[in-house]
Amino acid sequence: MNAFFLGGIIQALLLALYFLFNKSNKNVVAQRWLGTLLLLIATTMALTYFLPNNYKQFSYLIRVWELLPFLFAPSIFLYIYALLYGQIHYSKKHLLLLIPFIIGFVILFPFFISSSTYKIQQYELSENTIPENFYLLFWLKSINGLVMILASFYTIIKYKKDVKLVFADNAVNKWAIYSLIAFSLLWIVGTGRILFDFSEMIAKMVSMLLIISIYVLTYFTLKQTQVFRETDLQVLEEIETKLNAKTEQSTLNNEEATLIYEKLSKAVLEEKLFLDKNLNLQKLTEICQCKSSTVSNVLNHHNNQNFYGFINEFRVNEVCKMLKNNENSHLTLDAIGELCGFKSKSTFYQSFKEVTGKTPMQYKKDILNL
């Protein structure tokens, strides 16, 4: 087990250095934050592995392993965010993520500045007794982890909504969800280990799970493609700014909204823009010469739709027309969906059910039974 643990430390460190310094242009920010997380994990594991036999020589490192995990949760949150949105526009509010770490440092500060003799004495006593402020630090880390996990789940929910504001395809980053679930399970096991006094074997199993997670994270991070480009994020920011402002909502009356909606519908239908699999909000607004925020405002506040639903309704109607045409009987449902502009099978089936109340297969059977 010790050899396995040591191997995990070395691998985590090597992967951390790779993600921190590689020159790949793919998901750069997510890779950097994953590298930061792996470096923190590798450092914490190294301290718990090497220090028990060398604590007298390196007394200044005693209890540092209790402080570093405060940075795990913020790193995970920023990794998930970057994996979804491609980049992070840092601001002062991100400094709030460091508050638990600062509190932990303040609690441990008297210990850190104490003499080496005192640190060694306390470390030796901790083999039989619980270290000072151990449970306070434990609960702070647990609460911090829980808050960051919930914030990450909220980010995923928001991401799903944002995708539908800008794109007509439901580009759900499933790995971000799986990754967060894995982190959540590790948090549950790590918290339960202290609360329910798990055995040493359980503690070692947690370490193994952590190492396995490193491999899985590495593999899937390298495979992820970035959904939002810089221009998409700018459009999204413009939409959110304007939709949150009461001025535009009040100045755009129902008559003006109806005219804009009719203009959009006419352009999409007559020019068959919906057949373009890569059609997004920015392309549509450029063709119709409207602001992205105005189009989104019309769809959301005046027609109870988002861009995703607006475009895919045209696609579903086109699918229905093709299914009613006997000349298309040789085509599969998936092929028809693709011809009508759907980029993914999941978006096709989900949108069709939302518009018609039936699955494509049920709809086709009903036509054949007429």
Side-chain angles (χ1 to χ4, degrees):
M1 180 62 73
N2 286 339
F4 182 82
F5 196 75
L6 178 60
I9 295 171
I10 295 171
Q11 290 158 356
L13 181 59
L14 292 175
L15 288 172
L17 295 174
Y18 171 78
F19 282 118
L20 285 171
F21 299 107
N22 84 83
K23 297 180 180 180
S24 169
N25 294 323
K26 193 174 182 180
N27 282 317
V28 176
V29 181
Q31 289 195 48
R32 297 296 181 264
W33 276 111
L34 179 56
T36 301
L37 174 62
L38 294 178
L39 183 61
L40 289 167
I41 290 172
T43 304
T44 303
M45 291 172 67
L47 287 172
T48 57
Y49 181 83
F50 291 107
L51 209 60
N53 296 322
N54 302 280
Y55 65 93
K56 291 183 178 179
Q57 298 96 311
F58 302 98
S59 60
Y60 56 88
L61 293 177
I62 296 175
R63 300 197 74 178
V64 170
W65 61 80
E66 292 184 58
L67 185 62
L68 291 181
F70 278 103
L71 297 174
F72 289 0
S75 299
I76 290 170
F77 170 75
L78 292 170
Y79 164 71
I80 294 292
Y81 188 96
L83 199 58
L84 295 172
Y85 288 96
Q87 53 188 291
I88 302 172
H89 294 142
Y90 298 103
S91 63
K92 291 181 179 179
K93 67 181 181 181
H94 287 101
L95 295 174
L96 296 174
L97 298 174
L98 294 175
I99 289 178
F101 173 81
I102 294 171
I103 294 174
F105 179 79
V106 170
I107 292 172
L108 288 170
F109 184 71
F111 180 84
F112 289 151
I113 62 173
S114 61
S115 66
S116 296
T117 304
Y118 176 79
K119 290 178 182 177
I120 293 170
Q121 181 185 22
Q122 291 300 309
Y123 181 78
E124 292 173 344
L125 288 173
S126 68
E127 295 179 0
N128 300 313
T129 59
I130 297 173
E132 186 181 5
N133 297 321
F134 173 82
Y135 282 112
L136 175 59
L137 291 168
F138 163 74
W139 280 113
L140 281 173
K141 284 181 281 190
S142 296
I143 293 171
N144 182 38
L146 179 60
V147 170
M148 288 295 98
I149 287 171
L150 292 176
S152 298
F153 274 114
Y154 173 79
T155 300
I156 290 176
I157 293 171
K158 184 178 181 299
Y159 165 81
K160 289 181 178 180
K161 293 179 180 179
D162 288 344
V163 165
K164 291 185 177 182
L165 284 175
V166 181
F167 303 105
D169 185 62
N170 192 12
V172 178
N173 192 322
K174 292 183 178 179
W175 173 241
I177 299 173
Y178 299 150
S179 179
L180 187 53
I181 290 173
F183 286 132
S184 301
L185 291 174
L186 286 172
W187 176 84
I188 290 171
V189 175
T191 304
R193 173 180 165 240
I194 303 299
L195 291 179
F196 304 106
D197 194 22
F198 290 165
S199 65
E200 185 180 355
M201 179 59 68
I202 297 294
K204 290 180 178 180
M205 287 178 62
V206 173
S207 300
M208 291 177 65
L209 282 172
L210 191 57
I211 294 169
I212 292 170
S213 297
I214 291 171
Y215 284 113
V216 177
L217 275 171
T218 303
Y219 175 74
F220 281 100
T221 298
L222 289 173
K223 290 186 65 176
Q224 291 304 304
T225 55
Q226 190 170 313
V227 175
F228 284 103
R229 298 168 300 173
E230 178 63 29
T231 52
D232 298 322
L233 292 174
Q234 290 173 357
V235 169
L236 193 60
E237 186 177 356
E238 179 190 345
I239 291 170
E240 291 179 344
T241 301
K242 293 295 178 68
L243 290 182
N244 291 331
K246 296 181 179 180
T247 52
E248 183 169 349
Q249 294 181 25
S250 59
T251 55
L252 194 65
N253 57 46
N254 289 332
E255 185 178 346
E256 290 172 328
T258 301
L259 289 173
I260 294 173
Y261 187 82
E262 290 176 352
K263 180 181 179 180
L264 294 170
S265 300
K266 184 178 179 180
V268 171
L269 190 59
E270 290 185 354
E271 299 181 34
K272 291 192 177 292
L273 299 177
F274 58 86
L275 296 181
D276 180 3
K277 295 178 184 178
N278 297 313
L279 181 66
N280 58 28
L281 181 62
Q282 187 179 9
K283 283 186 180 180
L284 179 62
T285 54
E286 287 174 357
I287 292 171
C288 297
Q289 297 181 337
C290 295
K291 290 183 178 181
S292 300
S293 57
T294 301
V295 172
S296 190
N297 187 16
V298 168
L299 296 178
N300 280 275
H301 291 278
H302 294 273
N303 295 87
N304 251 350
Q305 283 182 310
N306 49 34
F307 178 76
Y308 173 90
F310 175 69
I311 295 299
N312 286 330
E313 186 173 348
F314 287 100
R315 291 173 174 169
V316 169
N317 291 334
E318 188 70 14
V319 170
C320 292
K321 288 180 183 178
M322 290 190 69
L323 289 174
K324 291 176 182 178
N325 190 337
N326 293 330
E327 295 180 1
N328 300 317
S329 58
H330 65 287
L331 295 173
T332 64
L333 290 172
D334 292 346
I336 291 175
E338 190 173 346
L339 288 171
C340 293
F342 284 105
K343 197 172 184 178
S344 68
K345 183 177 177 180
S346 60
T347 301
F348 169 39
Y349 280 77
Q350 181 183 346
S351 298
F352 196 94
K353 185 70 180 287
E354 289 176 356
V355 174
T356 66
K358 302 176 183 178
T359 65
M361 181 61 71
Q362 290 172 333
Y363 189 88
K364 185 176 182 179
K365 287 181 178 178
D366 290 345
I367 291 174
L368 294 175
N369 293 330
L370 291 177

